[in-house]
Amino acid sequence: MRSLPYFCRGEVVRGFGRGSKELGIPTANFPDSVVAQLPADIGTGIYYGWACVGSGRRHKMVTSIGWNPYYNNTHKSMETHVIHTFKEDFYGQVLSLVLVGYIRPERSFKSLDDLVTAIHSDIEAAKQKLEQPEHLKLKDDVFFQTAEPEVIMNGH
Ligand code: ADP
Ligand code: RBF
Ligand code: MG
């Protein structure tokens, strides 16, 4: 994918409220405007990278882009699980991301348990992959030094 690494940011909006939080995997959802701006080669699927809430610290993350086949959604969403335990929700705040690499396509599962197991293995994959020096470097990119919603940049 030519567009990787891909930098983007947007306000955290309410998602489907399916209780992903209760499963221990909350996902911060982006508005449609951010999803609409994705370049054509950033297709649906599961990605890993770095995330930053407001002007806070950078954390590892996993992002799901697509129609969530397990739920037969008709709406394309982009949602990020930040690999960090936050004290409070951050609806309305600006989330800045760099998508660094691709993990797998979206798929459907026989049960919710299987979906959750797959997400846990994505999280483990992200943690490992992001330790590579060329990926660690992106965490300190100048992009993360501002949280202005209008500053949308592409990686290169
Ligand atoms: P929704 O359907 O509204 O997206 P979720 O159950 O997916 O609800 O919860 C997402 C919300 O949880 C985020 O918008 C954010 O405010 C909060 N949150 C707390 N911790 C995290 C985290 N580690 N990663 C992503 N979101 C988190
Ligand atoms: N939904 C699917 O239907 N299929 C998937 O393969 C899938 N993979 C995901 C991987 C990650 C890392 C994350 C954070 C979410 C994934 N989801 C997937 C989305 C999941 O269904 C969604 O977070 C909940 O429905 C809450 O909106
Ligand atoms: Mg969500």
Side-chain angles (χ1 to χ4, degrees), residues 15-20 25-27 29 46-47 62-64 67-73 77 79-81 103-109 115 118-119 122-123:
F16 302 102
R18 282 202 195 99
S20 34
I25 316 170
T27 60
N29 292 56
I46 316 306
Y47 295 80
V62 278
T63 295
S64 164
W67 286 274
N68 300 3
Y70 179 78
Y71 290 97
N72 292 312
N73 278 354
S77 67
E79 38 181 301
T80 299
H81 173 68
I103 303 179
R104 63 172 177 90
E106 281 198 298
R107 42 168 294 214
S108 193
F109 293 91
L115 170 62
I119 297 178
D122 297 332
I123 292 171

Side-chain angles (χ1 to χ4, degrees), residues 14-66:
R14 300 225 165 236
F16 302 102
R18 282 202 195 99
S20 34
K21 214 178 268 172
E22 282 74 20
L23 299 172
I25 316 170
T27 60
N29 292 56
F30 269 155
D32 293 346
S33 55
V34 176
V35 183
Q37 279 172 15
L38 287 169
D41 68 321
I42 306 271
T44 61
I46 316 306
Y47 295 80
Y48 63 90
W50 299 102
C52 171
V53 177
S55 52
R57 288 167 47 209
R58 294 94 205 238
H59 301 285
K60 293 175 176 175
M61 63 74 167
V62 278
T63 295
S64 164
I65 302 175

